[in-house]
Amino acid sequence: MSDNQLANKSQAWSALFSEPMSELVKRYTASVFFDKRLWKADIEGSLAHAEMLAAQGILGAEDHAAIQRGMTKIREEIEAGRFEWKLDLEDVHLNIEARLTELVGLAGKRLHTGRSRNDQVATDVRLWLRGEIDEIALLLNALQRALVDVAEKNAETILPGFTHLQVAQPVAFGHHLLAYVEMFARDAERMADVRRRVNRLPLGAAALAGTSYPLDRERVARTLGMEAVCQNSLDAVSDRDFAIEFSAAASLVMVHISRLSEELILWMSQSFGFIDLADRFCTGSSIMPQKKNPDVPELARGKSGRVVGHLMGLITLMKGQPLAYNKDNQEDKEPLFDTVDTLKDTLRIFAEMAAGITVKPEAMERAAMRGYATATDLADYLVKKGLPFRDAHEVVAHAVKTAIAQARDLSDLSLDELKAFDARIEADVFEVLSLRGSLNARNVLGGTAPDQVRAQVVRHRARLA
Ligand code: ARG
């Protein structure tokens, strides 16, 4: 087949086709304008395949050398932006193969021996995704370190902890941030786990049934740094569960980001006034001159919907596909690519934004004071003096009701006033009613006491180093 003929897709297949594809069908079925981003993985996979073919005596040494030479040239062309991607050649695989044949002739046509685009594309996506997962792991690490830094500085900073978004008990701001570090740490674990299943080799499955050539699949897996070979050819070419798993793990990262975003947005609002974000992460309003809007966290909250949407897209794409490969699978790329792009940008921007956060400890503490955040501590105090917890709860409810009526905090009541609720109350109660006393008292593993927060900071630093 001449190069001219290769450029016309309807003839690239075989002589079987008697009419050309319409422009609309070409555009509809082509993937090159998005899957060209797999080019590096495609070349890497092809080189590993060719090396194995040569080692097995299926491909001559000269052909092997020609393929290596051709691929080096193609790599240069793509990197320099000189490679001409052709819609007529449908996808990244056919584009690169056609160019290889243009460059090195028959050797290029021999590359596809014992291989199909079905095992080729599955291999490419896995190779590409493995590299992206490694970058995401680094970004998750950087975000965690940024949060740990802010947490360390705020081991003693008090803000109200909420349940039902009602003031509950005082917590350290550092403790609050470390909750997110835990979430992102689990996200990193999930990514590492997904990576093990991504990093398996489909090549050698060929179209669906394996191949009659004596391939050494283990050798290709070793060359590509893959941990295992897919053990069933039908499964190898058809399932995209690794992409779905990745997208589920990515969705969870984005959900955690979205929760953090929601808090940043609330905290920056005038009603809370707990923090300020650096100007470079915010925008103004074209009509209201006083406005500074937390656009970055708002967008991240919005983009989490988009990533979760891609998960739904991918999982639905798989459902109902009979074995083995179906063209449906070409639809895995755009959602996967967009998930990776969105996630990486979001993680990058959040690490920067976290590092530049301005904390307003007075506002946080004032808010904790306003909400009777130490009421539980007063109940615990009475329990320690012998009152059953349910009764103590009742006594404190009366005290809080009285304090609310007088618009005073519990700690503003005099000892005599407090004693009126229960005679067991003594002067040492004021330590208990203070926010700091409440914080220090929660010195249990995983609790909010500053000593615990500092210990966690040390643990995280060692883990993230
Ligand atoms: N572009 C295709 C994809 O992304 C490559 C595999 C096509 N295989 C085929 N037999 N048409 O899935």
Side-chain angles (χ1 to χ4, degrees), residues 329-345:
N329 282 339
Q330 182 165 290
E331 286 290 306
D332 65 353
K333 312 224 170 23
E334 287 159 294
L336 199 56
F337 294 167
D338 188 64
T339 296
V340 164
D341 292 344
T342 306
L343 182 57
K344 281 165 65 181
D345 280 352

Side-chain angles (χ1 to χ4, degrees), residues 13 29 31 34-35 90-93 116-118 121 240 325-327 329-333:
W13 309 129
T29 55
S31 54
F34 51 85
D35 69 14
E90 190 180 319
D91 58 23
V92 61
H93 324 291
S116 150
R117 269 190 303 153
N118 296 351
V121 69
R240 297 291 182 266
Y325 176 85
N326 301 283
K327 187 80 167 187
N329 282 339
Q330 182 165 290
E331 286 290 306
D332 65 353
K333 312 224 170 23

Side-chain angles (χ1 to χ4, degrees), residues 49-61 64 219:
H49 179 67
E51 193 270 341
M52 178 275 295
L53 290 180
Q56 296 295 99
I58 305 166
L59 185 73
H64 181 209
R219 183 186 182 110

Side-chain angles (χ1 to χ4, degrees), residues 236-385:
V237 292
S238 65
D239 205 352
R240 297 291 182 266
D241 60 352
F242 67 90
I244 296 171
E245 257 193 87
F246 166 77
S247 153
S251 294
L252 276 170
V253 181
M254 288 302 292
V255 164
H256 292 149
I257 289 274
S258 185
R259 297 183 71 190
L260 176 56
S261 297
E262 173 67 8
E263 301 215 284
L264 293 173
I265 294 162
L266 283 175
W267 291 341
M268 206 181 119
S269 73
Q270 284 73 14
S271 315
F272 282 75
F274 288 1
I275 60 154
D276 208 3
L277 295 177
D279 288 355
R280 63 185 183 282
F281 301 103
C282 302
T283 61
S285 155
S286 53
I287 176 166
M288 297 167 283
Q290 85 283 13
K291 294 276 275 185
K292 178 174 159 187
N293 299 325
D295 284 39
V296 167
E298 287 176 83
L299 268 173
R301 192 175 53 186
K303 284 175 193 287
S304 68
R306 167 171 164 168
V307 170
V308 172
H310 291 325
L311 168 62
M312 293 307 120
L314 284 172
I315 203 162
T316 311
L317 166 70
M318 209 64 241
K319 178 187 174 302
Q321 279 195 53
L323 295 182
Y325 176 85
N326 301 283
K327 187 80 167 187
D328 311 41
N329 282 339
Q330 182 165 290
E331 286 290 306
D332 65 353
K333 312 224 170 23
E334 287 159 294
L336 199 56
F337 294 167
D338 188 64
T339 296
V340 164
D341 292 344
T342 306
L343 182 57
K344 281 165 65 181
D345 280 352
T346 304
L347 288 172
R348 256 185 222 119
I349 208 163
F350 265 65
E352 265 182 54
M353 196 168 61
I357 198 171
T358 304
V359 181
K360 301 180 174 171
E362 302 80 23
M364 289 183 177
E365 199 158 330
R366 257 198 320 275
M369 290 300 296
R370 268 202 305 273
Y372 302 95
T374 58
T376 315
D377 297 272
L378 179 56
D380 289 342
Y381 171 88
L382 289 169
V383 168
K384 284 172 194 149
K385 301 262 175 180

